[in-house]
Amino acid sequence: MRQDNKNEVAYIEKLIAVNRVTKVVKGGKKFSFSAFIVVGDGRGRVGFGKGKAREVADAMSKATEHAKKNLFKVPLRESRTLHHDVEGTFGAGHIVLRSAPAGTGLIVGGPMRAIFEALGMQDVVGKSIGTSNPINVVKATFNALKSVVSPKFIANKRGKKISEITSNRS
């Protein structure tokens, strides 16, 4: 966890992938590195970023800055789980996320776990179907998280009370 001096917000940074990229030129090979990082504040805001540089540390710092610029808010139920089940896709990646009762924990694998830890979510069940490519899994997960809406938002949109929207929730 790192403290940002401008906003005084502690960000949780999770490294998803580092790739070495080789460019063959007349004089030999040039190596560079690409980094893929997820950043969150632990209170419902999360974003991802990619960076590329000649050194790993530079690529990671570029990715972190890109991720901080692309943070978005995910509405959470009781600050620990999703309001409803969602699905997301990106390329061949398909993600299924389900809300879970208190005490369940994070039952997700790979890159999705890093997203939910950075997000501050405690109880969720998720499954990645179709691909194991970490970048596609992260992008599919973000597509799913962007489709999460709170009952308060739906109630305001429909002109009803929140109790009318949530009354048939099991």
Side-chain angles (χ1 to χ4, degrees):
M1 195 154 33
R2 202 166 84 180
Q3 197 92 15
D4 192 70
N5 293 335
K6 293 181 280 187
N7 302 4
E8 294 299 322
V9 176
Y11 288 108
I12 301 167
E13 300 172 5
K14 299 286 185 174
L15 179 65
I16 302 296
V18 174
N19 292 325
R20 187 179 78 174
V21 181
T22 306
K23 180 180 179 183
V24 179
V25 294
K26 184 177 179 183
K29 297 178 180 179
K30 286 189 177 180
F31 296 105
S32 63
F33 296 90
S34 66
F36 194 72
I37 289 183
V38 171
V39 172
D41 64 354
R43 292 177 295 178
R45 289 180 40 177
V46 69
F48 71 89
K50 291 188 285 188
K52 190 172 177 183
R54 298 293 300 264
E55 299 292 329
V56 176
D58 295 338
M60 288 176 61
S61 64
K62 284 182 181 181
T64 303
E65 291 304 313
H66 186 252
K68 286 179 184 177
K69 289 178 184 176
N70 295 316
L71 289 174
F72 72 96
K73 182 87 172 140
V74 177
L76 301 177
R77 179 169 36 140
E78 301 166 6
S79 298
R80 61 166 190 81
T81 190
L82 298 169
H83 284 287
H84 54 86
D85 301 349
V86 290
E87 294 184 15
T89 58
F90 184 84
H94 184 78
I95 299 297
V96 179
L97 301 175
R98 304 193 71 190
S99 59
T104 302
L106 294 176
I107 304 178
V108 294
M112 285 192 292
R113 177 174 293 277
I115 294 169
F116 294 126
E117 287 173 354
L119 189 59
M121 200 177 290
Q122 299 156 358
D123 301 307
V124 70
V125 177
K127 181 68 181 165
S128 171
I129 304 164
T131 186
S132 60
N133 180 336
I135 295 173
N136 286 348
V137 170
V138 167
K139 288 184 177 183
T141 305
F142 272 79
N143 286 342
L145 290 175
K146 286 179 181 176
S147 67
V148 174
V149 291
S150 67
K152 183 178 179 180
F153 176 78
I154 297 295
N156 287 340
K157 191 172 180 180
R158 294 182 187 174
K160 295 185 175 186
K161 295 179 182 173
I162 297 173
S163 59
E164 295 176 47
I165 303 295
T166 60
S167 62
N168 56 5
R169 175 183 276 172
S170 50

Coordinates of all heavy atoms in Angstrom, one line a residue, residues 55-132:
E55 N 13.0 -0.5 -18.7 CA 13.3 -1.1 -17.4 C 11.9 -1.5 -16.7 O 10.9 -0.8 -16.9 CB 14.0 -0.1 -16.4 CG 15.4 0.4 -16.9 CD 16.4 -0.8 -17.0 OE1 16.3 -1.7 -16.1 OE2 17.2 -0.8 -17.8
V56 N 12.0 -2.5 -15.9 CA 10.8 -3.0 -15.2 C 10.2 -2.0 -14.3 O 9.0 -1.7 -14.3 CB 11.0 -4.3 -14.5 CG1 9.8 -4.8 -13.7 CG2 11.5 -5.4 -15.4
A57 N 11.0 -1.3 -13.5 CA 10.5 -0.3 -12.6 C 9.8 0.9 -13.3 O 8.8 1.3 -12.8 CB 11.7 0.2 -11.7
D58 N 10.4 1.3 -14.4 CA 9.8 2.4 -15.1 C 8.4 2.0 -15.7 O 7.5 2.8 -15.7 CB 10.7 2.9 -16.2 CG 12.0 3.5 -15.7 OD1 12.0 3.9 -14.5 OD2 13.0 3.5 -16.5
A59 N 8.4 0.8 -16.2 CA 7.1 0.2 -16.8 C 6.1 0.2 -15.7 O 4.9 0.5 -15.9 CB 7.3 -1.1 -17.4
M60 N 6.5 -0.3 -14.5 CA 5.5 -0.4 -13.4 C 5.0 1.0 -12.9 O 3.8 1.2 -12.7 CB 6.1 -1.1 -12.2 CG 6.3 -2.6 -12.5 SD 7.1 -3.5 -11.2 CE 6.0 -3.2 -9.8
S61 N 5.9 2.0 -12.9 CA 5.4 3.3 -12.5 C 4.5 3.9 -13.5 O 3.5 4.6 -13.2 CB 6.6 4.2 -12.2 OG 7.4 4.4 -13.4
K62 N 4.8 3.7 -14.8 CA 3.9 4.2 -15.9 C 2.5 3.5 -15.8 O 1.5 4.2 -15.9 CB 4.5 3.9 -17.2 CG 5.6 4.8 -17.6 CD 6.1 4.5 -19.0 CE 7.2 5.3 -19.5 NZ 7.6 5.0 -20.9
A63 N 2.5 2.2 -15.5 CA 1.3 1.5 -15.4 C 0.5 2.0 -14.2 O -0.8 2.1 -14.3 CB 1.5 0.0 -15.3
T64 N 1.2 2.2 -13.1 CA 0.5 2.7 -11.9 C -0.2 4.1 -12.1 O -1.3 4.3 -11.7 CB 1.5 2.8 -10.7 OG1 2.1 1.5 -10.5 CG2 0.8 3.3 -9.4
E65 N 0.6 5.0 -12.8 CA 0.0 6.3 -13.1 C -1.2 6.2 -14.0 O -2.2 6.9 -13.8 CB 1.1 7.2 -13.7 CG 2.1 7.6 -12.7 CD 1.6 8.3 -11.5 OE1 0.7 9.2 -11.6 OE2 2.0 7.9 -10.4
H66 N -1.1 5.3 -15.0 CA -2.2 5.1 -15.9 C -3.5 4.6 -15.2 O -4.6 4.9 -15.4 CB -1.8 4.2 -17.0 CG -2.8 4.0 -18.1 ND1 -3.6 2.8 -18.3 CD2 -3.3 4.8 -19.1 CE1 -4.4 3.0 -19.3 NE2 -4.2 4.2 -19.8
A67 N -3.2 3.6 -14.2 CA -4.3 3.0 -13.5 C -5.0 4.1 -12.6 O -6.2 4.1 -12.4 CB -3.8 1.9 -12.6
K68 N -4.2 5.0 -11.9 CA -4.8 6.0 -11.1 C -5.6 7.0 -11.8 O -6.6 7.5 -11.3 CB -3.6 6.7 -10.3 CG -3.0 5.9 -9.2 CD -1.9 6.7 -8.6 CE -1.2 5.9 -7.5 NZ -0.1 6.6 -6.9
K69 N -5.3 7.2 -13.1 CA -6.1 8.1 -13.9 C -7.4 7.5 -14.3 O -8.4 8.2 -14.7 CB -5.3 8.5 -15.2 CG -4.2 9.4 -14.9 CD -3.5 9.7 -16.2 CE -2.2 10.6 -16.0 NZ -1.4 10.8 -17.2
N70 N -7.5 6.1 -14.3 CA -8.7 5.4 -14.8 C -9.5 4.8 -13.7 O -10.1 3.7 -13.9 CB -8.3 4.4 -15.8 CG -7.7 5.0 -17.1 OD1 -8.2 6.0 -17.6 ND2 -6.6 4.5 -17.5
L71 N -9.4 5.3 -12.5 CA -10.2 4.7 -11.3 C -11.7 5.0 -11.5 O -12.1 6.0 -12.1 CB -9.8 5.4 -10.0 CG -8.4 5.0 -9.5 CD1 -8.1 5.9 -8.2 CD2 -8.3 3.6 -9.1
F72 N -12.5 4.0 -11.2 CA -13.9 4.2 -11.2 C -14.5 3.6 -9.9 O -13.9 2.7 -9.3 CB -14.6 3.7 -12.5 CG -14.6 2.2 -12.6 CD1 -15.8 1.5 -12.2 CD2 -13.6 1.5 -13.0 CE1 -15.8 0.1 -12.3 CE2 -13.6 0.1 -13.2 CZ -14.8 -0.6 -12.8
K73 N -15.7 4.0 -9.5 CA -16.4 3.6 -8.3 C -17.3 2.4 -8.6 O -18.1 2.4 -9.6 CB -17.2 4.8 -7.7 CG -17.9 4.5 -6.5 CD -17.0 4.8 -5.3 CE -17.8 4.7 -4.0 NZ -17.0 4.0 -3.0
V74 N -17.2 1.4 -7.8 CA -18.1 0.2 -7.8 C -19.0 0.2 -6.6 O -18.5 0.2 -5.5 CB -17.2 -1.1 -7.9 CG1 -18.2 -2.3 -7.9 CG2 -16.3 -1.1 -9.0
P75 N -20.3 0.2 -6.8 CA -21.2 0.2 -5.7 C -21.2 -1.2 -5.0 O -21.3 -2.2 -5.6 CB -22.6 0.5 -6.3 CG -22.5 0.2 -7.7 CD -21.0 0.3 -8.1
L76 N -20.9 -1.1 -3.7 CA -20.8 -2.4 -2.9 C -22.0 -2.4 -1.9 O -22.4 -1.4 -1.4 CB -19.5 -2.4 -2.2 CG -18.2 -2.4 -3.0 CD1 -17.0 -2.4 -2.1 CD2 -18.2 -3.5 -4.0
R77 N -22.4 -3.7 -1.6 CA -23.4 -3.9 -0.6 C -22.7 -4.1 0.7 O -21.9 -5.0 0.8 CB -24.3 -5.1 -0.9 CG -25.3 -5.3 0.1 CD -26.4 -6.3 -0.3 NE -25.9 -7.4 -1.1 CZ -26.3 -8.7 -0.9 NH1 -27.2 -9.0 0.0 NH2 -25.9 -9.6 -1.7
E78 N -23.0 -3.3 1.7 CA -22.5 -3.4 3.1 C -20.9 -3.3 3.0 O -20.2 -3.8 3.9 CB -22.9 -4.7 3.8 CG -24.4 -4.8 3.9 CD -24.8 -6.2 4.3 OE1 -23.9 -7.1 4.5 OE2 -26.0 -6.5 4.3
S79 N -20.4 -2.6 2.0 CA -19.0 -2.4 1.8 C -18.2 -3.8 1.8 O -17.0 -3.8 2.1 CB -18.4 -1.6 2.9 OG -19.0 -0.3 2.9
R80 N -18.8 -4.9 1.4 CA -18.1 -6.1 1.4 C -18.4 -7.0 0.2 O -17.6 -7.9 -0.1 CB -18.4 -6.9 2.6 CG -19.8 -7.3 2.8 CD -20.1 -8.3 3.9 NE -21.5 -8.7 3.9 CZ -21.9 -9.6 3.0 NH1 -21.2 -10.2 2.1 NH2 -23.2 -9.9 3.0
T81 N -19.5 -6.9 -0.5 CA -19.9 -7.7 -1.7 C -20.6 -7.0 -2.7 O -20.9 -5.8 -2.6 CB -20.7 -9.0 -1.2 OG1 -20.8 -9.9 -2.3 CG2 -22.1 -8.6 -0.7
L82 N -21.0 -7.7 -3.8 CA -21.8 -7.1 -4.9 C -23.3 -7.0 -4.5 O -23.8 -7.8 -3.7 CB -21.6 -7.9 -6.1 CG -20.2 -8.1 -6.7 CD1 -20.2 -9.2 -7.8 CD2 -19.7 -6.8 -7.3
H83 N -24.0 -6.1 -5.2 CA -25.4 -6.0 -5.0 C -26.2 -7.2 -5.7 O -27.2 -7.6 -5.3 CB -26.0 -4.7 -5.5 CG -25.7 -3.5 -4.6 ND1 -26.3 -3.4 -3.4 CD2 -24.8 -2.5 -4.7 CE1 -25.9 -2.3 -2.8 NE2 -24.9 -1.8 -3.6
H84 N -25.6 -7.6 -6.8 CA -26.3 -8.6 -7.6 C -25.2 -9.4 -8.5 O -24.1 -8.9 -8.6 CB -27.3 -8.0 -8.6 CG -26.8 -6.9 -9.4 ND1 -26.2 -7.2 -10.6 CD2 -26.8 -5.6 -9.2 CE1 -25.8 -6.0 -11.2 NE2 -26.1 -5.0 -10.4
D85 N -25.6 -10.5 -9.0 CA -24.7 -11.3 -9.9 C -24.5 -10.6 -11.2 O -25.5 -10.0 -11.8 CB -25.3 -12.7 -10.1 CG -25.6 -13.4 -8.8 OD1 -25.1 -13.0 -7.8 OD2 -26.2 -14.5 -8.8
V86 N -23.3 -10.7 -11.7 CA -23.0 -10.0 -13.0 C -22.1 -10.9 -13.9 O -21.5 -11.8 -13.4 CB -22.3 -8.6 -12.8 CG1 -23.2 -7.6 -12.3 CG2 -21.1 -8.8 -12.0
E87 N -22.1 -10.6 -15.2 CA -21.3 -11.3 -16.1 C -20.6 -10.3 -17.0 O -21.1 -9.2 -17.2 CB -22.1 -12.3 -17.0 CG -22.7 -13.4 -16.3 CD -23.4 -14.4 -17.2 OE1 -23.2 -14.3 -18.4 OE2 -24.2 -15.2 -16.7
G88 N -19.3 -10.6 -17.4 CA -18.6 -9.7 -18.2 C -17.8 -10.5 -19.2 O -17.4 -11.6 -19.0
T89 N -17.6 -9.8 -20.4 CA -16.8 -10.5 -21.4 C -15.8 -9.5 -22.0 O -16.0 -8.3 -22.0 CB -17.6 -11.0 -22.6 OG1 -18.4 -9.9 -23.1 CG2 -18.6 -12.1 -22.1
F90 N -14.7 -10.0 -22.4 CA -13.7 -9.3 -23.2 C -12.9 -10.3 -24.0 O -12.3 -11.2 -23.5 CB -12.7 -8.5 -22.4 CG -11.8 -7.6 -23.2 CD1 -12.2 -6.4 -23.6 CD2 -10.6 -8.1 -23.5 CE1 -11.4 -5.6 -24.4 CE2 -9.7 -7.3 -24.3 CZ -10.1 -6.1 -24.7
G91 N -13.0 -10.2 -25.4 CA -12.3 -11.2 -26.2 C -12.9 -12.6 -26.0 O -14.1 -12.7 -25.9
A92 N -12.0 -13.5 -25.7 CA -12.5 -14.9 -25.4 C -12.8 -15.1 -23.9 O -13.2 -16.1 -23.5 CB -11.4 -15.9 -25.9
G93 N -12.5 -14.0 -23.1 CA -12.7 -14.2 -21.7 C -14.1 -13.9 -21.3 O -14.8 -13.0 -21.8
H94 N -14.7 -14.8 -20.4 CA -16.0 -14.6 -19.9 C -15.9 -14.8 -18.4 O -15.3 -15.7 -17.9 CB -16.9 -15.7 -20.5 CG -18.4 -15.6 -20.1 ND1 -19.2 -14.7 -20.7 CD2 -19.1 -16.2 -19.2 CE1 -20.4 -14.8 -20.1 NE2 -20.3 -15.7 -19.2
I95 N -16.5 -13.8 -17.7 CA -16.4 -13.8 -16.2 C -17.8 -13.9 -15.6 O -18.7 -13.2 -16.1 CB -15.7 -12.5 -15.7 CG1 -14.3 -12.4 -16.3 CG2 -15.7 -12.4 -14.2 CD1 -13.4 -13.4 -15.8
V96 N -18.0 -14.7 -14.6 CA -19.2 -14.7 -13.8 C -18.9 -14.4 -12.4 O -18.1 -15.0 -11.8 CB -19.9 -16.1 -13.9 CG1 -21.2 -16.2 -13.1 CG2 -20.1 -16.5 -15.4
L97 N -19.6 -13.4 -11.9 CA -19.4 -12.9 -10.5 C -20.7 -13.0 -9.7 O -21.7 -12.6 -10.2 CB -18.9 -11.5 -10.4 CG -17.6 -11.2 -11.1 CD1 -17.3 -9.7 -11.1 CD2 -16.4 -12.0 -10.5
R98 N -20.6 -13.6 -8.5 CA -21.8 -13.7 -7.7 C -21.6 -13.1 -6.3 O -20.5 -13.2 -5.8 CB -22.2 -15.2 -7.5 CG -22.3 -15.9 -8.9 CD -23.0 -17.2 -8.7 NE -24.3 -17.0 -8.3 CZ -25.1 -18.0 -7.9 NH1 -24.7 -19.2 -7.8 NH2 -26.4 -17.7 -7.6
S99 N -22.6 -12.4 -5.8 CA -22.5 -11.9 -4.4 C -22.5 -13.1 -3.5 O -23.0 -14.2 -3.8 CB -23.7 -11.0 -4.1 OG -24.9 -11.6 -4.3
A100 N -22.0 -12.9 -2.3 CA -21.9 -14.0 -1.3 C -22.2 -13.5 0.1 O -22.0 -12.3 0.4 CB -20.4 -14.6 -1.3
P101 N -22.7 -14.4 1.0 CA -23.0 -14.0 2.3 C -21.7 -13.7 3.1 O -20.6 -14.1 2.7 CB -23.7 -15.2 2.9 CG -23.4 -16.4 2.0 CD -23.1 -15.8 0.7
A102 N -21.9 -13.0 4.2 CA -20.7 -12.6 5.0 C -19.9 -13.8 5.5 O -20.5 -14.8 5.9 CB -21.2 -11.8 6.2
G103 N -18.6 -13.7 5.4 CA -17.8 -14.8 5.9 C -17.3 -15.8 4.8 O -16.5 -16.6 5.1
T104 N -17.8 -15.6 3.6 CA -17.5 -16.5 2.5 C -16.1 -16.3 2.1 O -15.3 -17.2 1.8 CB -18.4 -16.3 1.3 OG1 -19.8 -16.5 1.7 CG2 -18.1 -17.2 0.2
G105 N -15.6 -15.1 2.0 CA -14.3 -14.7 1.5 C -14.2 -14.6 0.0 O -15.3 -14.6 -0.7
L106 N -13.0 -14.4 -0.5 CA -12.8 -14.3 -1.9 C -12.6 -15.6 -2.5 O -11.5 -16.2 -2.4 CB -11.6 -13.4 -2.2 CG -11.7 -11.9 -1.8 CD1 -10.4 -11.2 -2.0 CD2 -12.9 -11.3 -2.5
I107 N -13.6 -16.1 -3.2 CA -13.5 -17.4 -3.9 C -13.3 -17.1 -5.4 O -14.3 -17.2 -6.2 CB -14.6 -18.4 -3.6 CG1 -14.8 -18.6 -2.1 CG2 -14.4 -19.7 -4.3 CD1 -15.9 -19.4 -1.7
V108 N -12.2 -16.6 -5.8 CA -11.9 -16.2 -7.2 C -10.4 -16.6 -7.4 O -9.6 -16.7 -6.4 CB -12.1 -14.7 -7.4 CG1 -13.6 -14.4 -7.4 CG2 -11.3 -13.9 -6.5
G109 N -10.0 -16.7 -8.6 CA -8.7 -17.1 -8.9 C -7.9 -16.1 -9.7 O -8.5 -15.2 -10.3
G110 N -6.6 -16.2 -9.6 CA -5.7 -15.4 -10.4 C -5.9 -13.9 -10.4 O -5.9 -13.4 -9.3
P111 N -5.9 -13.3 -11.5 CA -6.0 -11.8 -11.6 C -7.2 -11.2 -10.9 O -7.2 -10.1 -10.4 CB -5.9 -11.5 -13.0 CG -5.6 -12.7 -13.7 CD -5.9 -13.9 -12.8
M112 N -8.3 -12.0 -10.9 CA -9.5 -11.5 -10.3 C -9.3 -11.2 -8.8 O -9.9 -10.3 -8.2 CB -10.7 -12.4 -10.5 CG -11.3 -12.4 -11.9 SD -12.8 -13.3 -12.0 CE -12.3 -15.0 -11.7
R113 N -8.6 -12.1 -8.1 CA -8.3 -11.9 -6.7 C -7.6 -10.6 -6.4 O -8.0 -9.9 -5.5 CB -7.5 -13.1 -6.1 CG -7.1 -12.9 -4.7 CD -6.4 -14.1 -4.2 NE -7.3 -15.3 -4.1 CZ -8.1 -15.6 -3.2 NH1 -8.2 -14.8 -2.1 NH2 -8.9 -16.7 -3.2
A114 N -6.7 -10.2 -7.2 CA -6.0 -8.9 -7.1 C -6.9 -7.8 -7.2 O -6.8 -6.8 -6.5 CB -4.8 -8.8 -8.1
I115 N -7.8 -7.8 -8.1 CA -8.8 -6.8 -8.4 C -9.7 -6.6 -7.1 O -9.9 -5.5 -6.6 CB -9.7 -7.1 -9.6 CG1 -8.9 -7.0 -10.9 CG2 -10.9 -6.1 -9.7 CD1 -9.6 -7.6 -12.1
F116 N -10.2 -7.7 -6.6 CA -11.1 -7.6 -5.4 C -10.4 -7.2 -4.1 O -10.9 -6.5 -3.3 CB -11.9 -8.9 -5.2 CG -12.8 -9.1 -6.4 CD1 -12.8 -10.3 -7.1 CD2 -13.7 -8.2 -6.8 CE1 -13.6 -10.6 -8.1 CE2 -14.6 -8.4 -7.8 CZ -14.5 -9.6 -8.5
E117 N -9.1 -7.6 -4.0 CA -8.3 -7.1 -2.9 C -8.1 -5.6 -3.0 O -8.1 -4.9 -2.0 CB -7.0 -7.9 -2.8 CG -7.2 -9.3 -2.3 CD -5.9 -10.1 -2.4 OE1 -4.9 -9.6 -2.9 OE2 -5.9 -11.3 -2.0
A118 N -7.7 -5.1 -4.1 CA -7.5 -3.7 -4.3 C -8.8 -2.9 -4.2 O -8.8 -1.8 -3.7 CB -6.9 -3.4 -5.7
L119 N -9.9 -3.5 -4.5 CA -11.3 -2.9 -4.4 C -11.7 -2.8 -3.0 O -12.5 -2.0 -2.6 CB -12.2 -3.7 -5.3 CG -13.6 -3.2 -5.5 CD1 -13.6 -1.8 -6.2 CD2 -14.4 -4.2 -6.4
G120 N -11.3 -3.7 -2.1 CA -11.7 -3.8 -0.7 C -12.9 -4.7 -0.5 O -13.5 -4.7 0.5
M121 N -13.2 -5.5 -1.5 CA -14.3 -6.5 -1.4 C -13.8 -7.7 -0.6 O -12.7 -8.2 -0.8 CB -14.7 -6.9 -2.8 CG -16.1 -7.4 -2.9 SD -16.7 -7.8 -4.5 CE -16.8 -6.2 -5.2
Q122 N -14.7 -8.2 0.3 CA -14.4 -9.3 1.1 C -15.1 -10.6 0.8 O -14.5 -11.7 1.0 CB -14.7 -9.0 2.6 CG -13.9 -7.8 3.1 CD -14.6 -7.0 4.2 OE1 -15.7 -7.4 4.6 NE2 -14.0 -6.0 4.7
D123 N -16.3 -10.6 0.2 CA -17.1 -11.8 0.0 C -17.6 -11.7 -1.5 O -18.5 -11.0 -1.8 CB -18.3 -11.8 0.9 CG -17.8 -11.9 2.4 OD1 -17.0 -12.7 2.7 OD2 -18.3 -11.0 3.1
V124 N -17.1 -12.6 -2.3 CA -17.5 -12.7 -3.7 C -17.1 -14.1 -4.2 O -16.1 -14.6 -3.8 CB -17.0 -11.6 -4.5 CG1 -15.5 -11.7 -4.8 CG2 -17.7 -11.5 -5.9
V125 N -17.9 -14.6 -5.1 CA -17.6 -15.9 -5.8 C -17.5 -15.6 -7.3 O -18.4 -14.9 -7.8 CB -18.6 -17.0 -5.5 CG1 -18.3 -18.2 -6.3 CG2 -18.8 -17.3 -4.0
G126 N -16.4 -16.0 -7.9 CA -16.2 -15.7 -9.3 C -15.6 -16.8 -10.1 O -14.9 -17.7 -9.5
K127 N -15.9 -16.9 -11.4 CA -15.4 -17.9 -12.2 C -15.0 -17.3 -13.6 O -15.7 -16.5 -14.1 CB -16.4 -19.0 -12.5 CG -16.0 -20.1 -13.3 CD -15.0 -21.0 -12.7 CE -14.6 -22.1 -13.6 NZ -13.3 -22.8 -13.1
S128 N -13.8 -17.7 -14.0 CA -13.3 -17.3 -15.3 C -13.4 -18.4 -16.3 O -13.0 -19.5 -16.0 CB -11.8 -16.9 -15.2 OG -11.3 -16.7 -16.5
I129 N -14.1 -18.1 -17.4 CA -14.4 -19.1 -18.4 C -13.8 -18.7 -19.7 O -14.0 -17.5 -20.1 CB -15.9 -19.3 -18.5 CG1 -16.5 -19.7 -17.2 CG2 -16.2 -20.4 -19.5 CD1 -18.0 -19.5 -17.1
G130 N -13.1 -19.6 -20.4 CA -12.8 -19.3 -21.8 C -11.3 -18.9 -22.0 O -10.8 -19.3 -23.1
T131 N -10.7 -18.2 -21.1 CA -9.3 -17.9 -21.3 C -8.6 -17.8 -20.0 O -9.2 -17.5 -18.9 CB -9.2 -16.5 -22.1 OG1 -7.8 -16.3 -22.4 CG2 -9.7 -15.4 -21.3
S132 N -7.3 -17.9 -20.0 CA -6.5 -17.7 -18.8 C -5.5 -16.6 -19.0 O -4.7 -16.3 -18.1 CB -5.7 -19.0 -18.5 OG -4.8 -19.3 -19.5

